[in-house]
Amino acid sequence: MEALAGQAVLLIAVLATIFAGPLLAVAFVTVRRRRARTQRRSPMRRALLRLPGHSLREQLDEATGTVMSDIFMLMLVPLMMLAMFLAHGHIPGLQRTAHLPTIYTVVVLGFVAFMVHRLWKAGTRLDRLKAGLDAELAVGQELDQLMRQGAAVYHDVPAEGFNIDHVVVSKAGIFAVETKGFTKQVAGSAKENCRVGYDGRTLRFPNWTTTAPLEQAERQSDWLAKWLSGATGSPVCVHPVLALPGWFIEHSGRGPVRVYSGAQLPELLQARGPQTLTEQEVQRAAFQLDQRCRTVELLYSQQP
């Protein structure tokens, strides 16, 4: 009985040794961050405005953290199983268990296969998020140039269960800009692979067609128009815009959604809609959007 207890203690010691380092590192970082926040405070009193791709950046950070955690588990679990197998070899009664190596092998191989599949899917999602973030950053930089023309520009506007990538408020009108970071094919003609046709109803890419981004842009502009109308107390018209940075747009018709490449966005305010805004209407809409977009928490606690 004493021998069995001693072997159990050995097994626990092996497992504790494996987990001790990571647990101590996590505890140290957590205590250090809490101590820093209690001893220092930010001089700023207001939450910050959201930057281009704020939601995508959060998703990207979360996905990256998940991948790193999965990689850590992929390295740790096989080592842990190996340590348990070696420890079991010293426990009386288990030395001659013929099926024990098979059980450990099947468990480890199954875990490795599951994690590799999980990491493959995570890598695909990371690629998609990175492409989307690059597109939103590129469009955001182009739209920020419109502030020189008196426009107010807001990014990643939170809505009800979704976000609007960019909103431009100016005397020329209010524009809800949806951004899509569609990637291009490497094979084939580089000139043809960068063209997308727009007939007012459908987007025609080199190898596929879609209407989903146009419909999404319309839904988001409708929501923004209703929300701003209620928030400002007067009817507001919002123009839907779709931005496809890096693509050359071939227009063959006109539709309710305006489609621009990234380089064409500086022309946005030149295409006036049916409604122009007064300075007071611009200020009211900008005030409401400013309040809605100030959701970025400061790094340090506001409490002294």
Side-chain angles (χ1 to χ4, degrees):
M1 190 69 178
E2 293 181 359
L4 184 60
Q7 299 301 329
V9 171
L10 175 62
L11 179 60
I12 295 175
V14 171
L15 296 178
T17 302
I18 294 175
F19 287 103
L23 290 177
L24 287 175
V26 172
F28 175 79
V29 172
T30 302
V31 171
R32 177 66 182 84
R33 291 181 62 185
R34 288 181 178 177
R35 183 179 179 184
R37 292 191 178 190
T38 55
Q39 294 180 349
R40 309 287 295 180
R41 67 182 179 89
S42 173
M44 296 175 289
R45 294 295 182 179
R46 299 181 66 189
L48 304 179
L49 288 170
R50 298 162 74 93
L51 295 173
H54 179 81
S55 296
L56 285 179
R57 188 178 288 105
E58 288 184 336
Q59 295 179 44
L60 187 60
D61 290 342
E62 181 181 355
T64 302
T66 301
V67 168
M68 297 303 296
S69 176
D70 289 345
I71 293 175
F72 175 76
M73 293 299 295
L74 186 59
M75 294 186 297
L76 178 63
V77 170
L79 290 176
M80 183 183 68
M81 297 299 293
L82 176 61
M84 292 177 62
F85 172 73
L86 295 177
H88 278 169
H90 296 279
I91 297 178
L94 292 180
Q95 295 95 332
R96 298 189 179 95
T97 305
H99 62 275
L100 193 59
T102 303
I103 293 176
Y104 276 100
T105 301
V106 170
V107 171
V108 170
L109 290 179
F111 176 78
V112 170
F114 170 77
M115 294 304 295
V116 168
H117 176 69
R118 180 182 171 94
L119 287 170
W120 182 272
K121 293 177 61 177
T124 302
R125 182 167 182 262
L126 282 175
D127 290 340
R128 186 172 66 252
L129 290 174
K130 289 177 180 178
L133 180 59
D134 288 344
E136 289 202 29
L137 291 175
V139 170
Q141 290 179 3
E142 294 292 342
L143 292 177
D144 284 344
Q145 303 303 315
L146 299 178
M147 290 189 287
R148 299 177 180 177
Q149 304 178 37
V153 181
Y154 300 93
H155 307 291
D156 203 67
V157 179
E160 297 176 356
F162 61 94
N163 68 289
I164 303 175
D165 294 337
H166 316 276
V167 175
V168 179
V169 182
S170 70
K171 292 183 178 180
I174 301 177
F175 305 87
V177 183
E178 171 63 21
T179 302
K180 292 299 181 185
F182 295 125
T183 55
K184 305 174 184 177
Q185 288 186 341
V186 176
S189 171
K191 183 177 180 180
E192 293 299 325
N193 286 340
C194 69
R195 296 179 181 274
V196 54
Y198 178 53
D199 59 5
R201 298 180 302 275
T202 305
L203 295 171
R204 302 186 182 278
F205 291 87
N207 295 314
W208 56 289
T209 61
T210 182
T211 61
L214 303 171
E215 296 166 356
Q216 181 181 2
E218 286 192 90
R219 288 195 304 269
Q220 293 180 352
S221 65
D222 290 342
W223 180 91
L224 183 60
K226 292 178 182 178
W227 177 76
L228 279 176
S229 297
T232 60
S234 59
V236 174
C237 176
V238 177
H239 307 290
V241 175
L242 177 63
L244 301 175
W247 291 86
F248 180 78
I249 314 298
E250 295 181 331
H251 295 270
S252 59
R254 300 183 63 180
V257 180
R258 304 176 185 181
V259 180
Y260 294 90
S261 66
Q264 295 173 325
L265 287 172
E267 306 172 4
L268 183 65
L269 302 186
Q270 301 174 10
R272 292 179 176 270
Q275 176 188 7
T276 56
L277 305 180
T278 64
E279 185 64 32
Q280 291 75 18
E281 290 173 328
V282 169
Q283 292 179 1
R284 286 199 296 267
F287 174 80
Q288 295 297 331
L289 286 165
D290 184 275
Q291 298 300 308
R292 194 173 187 93
C293 292
R294 287 193 180 274
T295 62
V296 181
E297 297 293 335
L298 300 176
L299 295 179
Y300 284 89
S301 172
Q302 293 288 346
Q303 299 298 326

